[in-house]
Amino acid sequence: MAYGGSIKKVKLDKECELRVEVALDGPLRLRLLSGTAEIFGTELPPEIWLSFPPGLKFAVFTWYGATIEMDGNTETDYTADETPMVSYVNVHAVLEGRRNRAKASATDTDDSQGPRVIVVGPTDSGKSTLTRMLLSWAAKQGWKPTFVDLDIGQGSITIPGSIAATPVELPIDPVEGIPLEMPLVYFYGHITPSANIELYKVLVKELAQTLERQFSGNAESRASGMVINTMGWIEGAGYELLLHAIDTFKATVVLVLGQEKLCSMLRGVVKSKGNVDVVKLQKSGGVVSRNVKVRQKARGFRIREYFYGLTNDLSPHSNIVNFTDLSIFRVGGGPQAPRSALPIGAEPASDPTRLTPVTINRDLLHLVLGVSYAKEPDEIVSSNVAGFIYITDIDIQRRKITYLAPCAGELPGKFLIVGNLTWVET
Ligand code: ATP
């Protein structure tokens, strides 16, 4: 790896942060020379050079003062002395108190449930970052909070088009993210919920129910609670989906980032629920806005990372099978009944969870498919997925399909789900 620039030393005063955007043409090395500092809730080890990939945006924050050394090029790097970190850590302290109370309560009573936090706000308000901090701070104190990511556009557990959950047992690595043992993943197949709002809701419900079952047998997870990241769509149907998520996950704390209006709307609605706190938090001035193109690129990177690893450290397998070896289904979309079968004047409604078998043809090229754990087709909508495959070739004449999978051998399930999630390998 080439590190271009000269070494730069930055002294940070207490409660200040160094905001960095790594240059696009090369990685950046950074180390903590003295003091203590953290990146989004995860402490930096002293004196060890850490490498950050091109384009990464992050902040090194210090509570008590630190000296940082940087080696390499950045798009920007500057020090900020105004951050909302104190208010964020205060939220953490309140959650901590609730976790301790939950731990001290008798198992399987309502009181043994730790805080269920949902982070909401417009796009680029810092939701994922705050989620990450709350999880890392909790994990540092020995809890195992569950991270739920409902953001199908820019999620951080698995590939786009999915909603997922995973326990977080260690502070999240600023570069590598969360080590994933067995995340619980439901594949929606689209990057915007408007493609099939009802299906999105069904999957959110399935995820919540599965977590509920897991929690009931696990006092530690229950007391640790969950932190739920959401999408930046907060208007119209997006707002309805937020309310749906708050209800479905029985959220007890709603953190609203950077939007007065959303906060007061939510306060009005959840007031009637009694035990839900809606807390307004300031957006950090460090959050970097991303346009459509940048988001698209980020999605491509996430898919690439799934198959090849962050640093090309994984070797996916290319497999060739017969058309008849795969059963591919699309969920939703098609009309439920032909017009002729409906009463006069009625419009055919499309059933959001209707399964349609997909005929294999070249339209499947470059699509990413979910491999369902379902044993029967009628279990597909309610089943989570084992992982994903990527279609790289379709040979109509020989009736062969070539796909990329994370590992060799037979797929863990025979039913595949397709939406419109595409990726062009570069
Ligand atoms: P989305 O609209 O995708 O839901 P979001 O609200 O979750 O976005 P984040 O992903 O948390 O926003 O932040 C957007 C970008 O800003 C990320 O690349 C993140 O690393 C960066 N960022 C957040 N806070 C800071 C900070 N204090 N300093 C520098 N960069 C930051």
Side-chain angles (χ1 to χ4, degrees), residues 17 57-59 123-129 284 286 288 290 295:
E17 70 184 20
K57 303 156 183 64
F58 64 96
T123 43
D124 296 323
S125 55
K127 296 179 296 300
S128 316
T129 307
S284 166
V288 185
R290 292 159 297 171
R295 284 171 184 274

Side-chain angles (χ1 to χ4, degrees), residues 133-284:
M133 286 181 206
L134 294 174
L135 289 164
S136 289
W137 286 331
K140 187 181 165 198
Q141 281 173 286
W143 300 101
K144 285 188 188 163
T146 300
F147 174 23
V148 179
D149 205 336
L150 303 182
D151 187 353
I152 48 178
Q154 305 282 324
S156 33
I157 296 181
T158 184
I159 68 164
S162 315
I163 57 169
T166 184
V168 174
E169 305 191 353
L170 290 169
I172 300 169
D173 186 287
V175 179
E176 313 253 324
I178 306 161
L180 294 175
E181 304 278 300
M182 276 285 269
L184 178 61
V185 182
Y186 288 84
F187 187 51
Y188 170 70
H190 312 272
I191 50 155
T192 145
S194 54
N196 187 344
I197 290 192
E198 288 309 313
L199 174 63
Y200 180 83
K201 282 190 184 170
V202 168
L203 297 183
V204 166
K205 213 164 163 189
E206 288 294 341
L207 176 62
Q209 281 169 352
T210 307
L211 287 178
E212 208 72 68
R213 278 196 296 275
Q214 292 181 353
F215 278 169
S216 71
N218 188 334
E220 194 182 12
S221 296
R222 236 174 114 74
S224 299
M226 39 172 124
V227 186
I228 307 164
N229 182 36
T230 59
M231 291 174 288
W233 189 23
I234 55 167
E235 306 282 341
Y239 176 69
E240 296 303 320
L241 288 179
L242 286 184
L243 294 181
H244 177 259
I246 292 170
D247 263 354
T248 312
F249 283 96
K250 301 196 182 90
T252 51
V253 181
V254 183
L255 301 178
V256 189
L257 272 172
Q259 236 230 24
E260 204 76 53
K261 183 178 151 204
L262 178 63
C263 186
S264 80
M265 280 166 76
L266 288 173
R267 275 202 182 128
V269 175
V270 303
K271 212 163 46 194
S272 56
K273 298 188 202 298
N275 59 348
V276 185
D277 296 312
V278 179
V279 182
K280 191 179 74 196
L281 288 171
Q282 201 194 324
K283 166 183 165 176
S284 166

Side-chain angles (χ1 to χ4, degrees), residues 1 21-24 26-28 51-58 174-176 310-311:
M1 271 191 243
E21 268 189 69
V22 183
L24 293 174
L28 174 85
S51 179
F52 297 85
L56 194 77
K57 303 156 183 64
F58 64 96
V175 179
E176 313 253 324
L310 193 61
T311 51

Side-chain angles (χ1 to χ4, degrees), residues 377-396:
D378 64 358
E379 293 173 359
I380 290 177
V381 175
S382 59
S383 296
N384 54 320
V385 294
F388 304 93
I389 63 166
Y390 171 59
I391 309 290
T392 54
D393 192 32
I394 308 247
D395 186 335
I396 301 283

